[in-house]
Amino acid sequence: MAEGSQDGLNLHMPKKFTLGHEMNAGAPCLQCGPVKCEGGLDLHFWRKICKTCKCKPEEHDIKSVEEAAHKLVVHSLFSKDSPQGHIRDYFRKLEEANKNKGQQSEYAKQYAWVPPGLQQGVLMKYMESLPPEVKPKVGSEGAKYRRKQMMYQLPIHDHDPEYCDNLTEPEKASMRQFCEDRNQNALGVGDVREKTNPVSKWTCYRCGGNINLGEIAIFASRAGENKCWHPGCFVCTICNNLLVDLIYFFKDGAIYCGRHYAELYKPRCAACDELIFSREYTQAEDRNWHRKHFCCYECDRDLGGLLYVARDGHPHCMECYNRLYARRCFECREIINADAQRIEYEGEFWHATDVCFKCGMCKRSLIGKQFLRHPRKNQIFCSTDCAKRY
């Protein structure tokens, strides 16, 4: 990692920045509010979600942590000693921008982030060319969007093994090699340019539209010198989100955010959100899991070799599922266990047994037989005769 002067790029932060479960405790949830997320953020010790409301940390009001994590990621990506010239150039731009932060124009100060090294006129055109809902004006929805995308597209646990959940030494070595290969072979930053030559033809690589004289385009050197995008079209191929701070990863003619580029090569654990660098892992519910993380979404019980029920893609042990989600039998009012057979009709449920699914009048079993439900008498019957006599 690069070393900077004290008045240089302010990305050299204490190494032990962690999203421990006490950090930012109590931060209010921006999605659920204080009713569902009573008491605010209570971070699970490895899932990277709030134990109270199940929302992610970035969906809570923890701006300082989001910014700090992003700076650490940028520090891990860009170095003055990189073998890639465009990476060294961008690092120098960041250093210069940081040195001159106090001298920013009043226009630039309106924004939580601006591309470094741009002349004022080009900067204004770039910002005005962005869709209104994603312009990162301080205090705006666009600034919130950027903060959320920083943690989604460039999660710190994709860039530094120190912020992962107890990797083994071989896993750490594998992760470091992956990060080195990714940064050397795919990492880039969009270059903001204004079209000043009336003769040259600029065509957006995404939408195919022309970029006219005086308009702004984003170039990506990894893609080749002739490819450019409208600022609003410079998005990840997979998630279609605007690439945060113009940071992209390139492969086979396409640009990706950090998250989705990594997933081209490594499975991601559905529980902890980290990439999986171990040789053995679990595949279930069309998703991937660290073997140690394939456990109940509620109580963290290891589900290896046990029956479980998935709800919204998350596995639950039988006890937690029955406690939280199991239906009650219309007849006996007892819980219908997840592994028990049941019958559903018009929004009601019964144990699929002779004792529960029976005529309300004559008590004859209705399993496998025709039946009717009387809307006013709120009961099922074997015949209209029984319904009349009830």
Side-chain angles (χ1 to χ4, degrees), residues 116-136:
L118 294 185
Q119 294 180 349
Q120 177 85 346
V122 178
L123 172 60
M124 294 177 70
K125 285 188 175 184
Y126 169 75
M127 286 301 183
E128 292 306 311
S129 65
L130 293 177
E133 65 274 12
V134 298
K135 290 181 184 178

Side-chain angles (χ1 to χ4, degrees), residues 98-284:
N98 187 72
K99 289 177 184 177
N100 299 326
K101 197 167 186 179
Q103 303 172 26
Q104 275 188 325
S105 68
E106 291 304 313
Y107 180 83
K109 289 177 182 177
Q110 297 179 60
Y111 295 94
W113 168 84
V114 296
L118 294 185
Q119 294 180 349
Q120 177 85 346
V122 178
L123 172 60
M124 294 177 70
K125 285 188 175 184
Y126 169 75
M127 286 301 183
E128 292 306 311
S129 65
L130 293 177
E133 65 274 12
V134 298
K135 290 181 184 178
K137 278 198 169 184
V138 174
S140 70
E141 290 300 313
K144 292 179 184 177
Y145 169 84
R146 174 181 170 259
R147 289 201 307 270
K148 189 171 181 179
Q149 290 302 314
M150 287 189 313
M151 296 189 76
Y152 176 73
Q153 295 184 23
L154 299 168
I156 193 169
H157 46 269
D158 279 13
H159 298 269
D160 192 330
E162 296 302 318
Y163 303 102
C164 297
D165 180 42
N166 296 319
L167 297 185
T168 65
E169 288 305 318
E171 288 170 340
K172 287 181 180 180
S174 178
M175 181 176 183
R176 292 190 187 100
Q177 185 62 55
F178 169 77
C179 291
E180 182 179 342
D181 292 344
R182 175 198 60 201
N183 297 353
Q184 287 188 7
N185 300 319
L187 171 65
V189 180
D191 184 17
V192 180
R193 301 182 197 172
E194 179 184 10
K195 185 177 179 183
T196 58
N197 185 346
V199 177
S200 62
K201 182 176 175 62
W202 290 7
T203 303
C204 178
Y205 189 64
R206 178 176 172 83
C207 73
N210 290 328
I211 296 168
N212 300 317
L213 188 67
E215 292 182 340
I216 296 296
I218 309 299
F219 284 78
S221 59
R222 294 277 190 183
E225 289 302 319
N226 296 322
K227 290 187 177 66
C228 62
W229 290 256
H230 288 112
C233 290
F234 198 60
V235 298
C236 172
T237 300
I238 301 296
C239 63
N240 292 319
N241 286 312
L242 203 68
L243 289 162
V244 67
D245 294 6
L246 301 176
I247 297 172
Y248 71 88
F249 298 85
F250 183 80
K251 177 177 171 58
D252 296 337
I255 53 175
Y256 299 87
C257 69
R259 170 177 290 273
H260 291 114
Y261 175 83
E263 290 173 7
L264 297 175
Y265 294 93
K266 297 292 180 182
R268 187 178 297 278
C269 178
C272 72
D273 195 52
E274 296 172 14
L275 299 173
I276 300 174
F277 291 95
S278 58
R279 292 184 178 180
E280 296 182 348
Y281 57 94
T282 298
Q283 290 184 314

Side-chain angles (χ1 to χ4, degrees), residues 330 373-381 384-390:
F330 180 84
R373 185 179 183 190
H374 197 289
R376 292 194 304 275
K377 296 180 180 180
N378 196 28
Q379 190 54 272
I380 56 174
F381 302 98
T384 55
D385 183 57
C386 275
K388 291 177 181 177
R389 290 191 295 117
Y390 183 77

Side-chain angles (χ1 to χ4, degrees), residues 299-312:
C299 70
D300 292 335
R301 181 183 182 184
D302 186 354
L303 294 176
L306 300 179
L307 289 175
Y308 69 91
V309 180
R311 184 178 175 87
D312 298 328

Side-chain angles (χ1 to χ4, degrees), residues 18-36:
T18 58
L19 283 177
H21 31 295
E22 292 184 358
M23 184 170 287
N24 298 290
C29 183
L30 302 174
Q31 299 288 329
C32 302
V35 176
K36 183 176 178 181

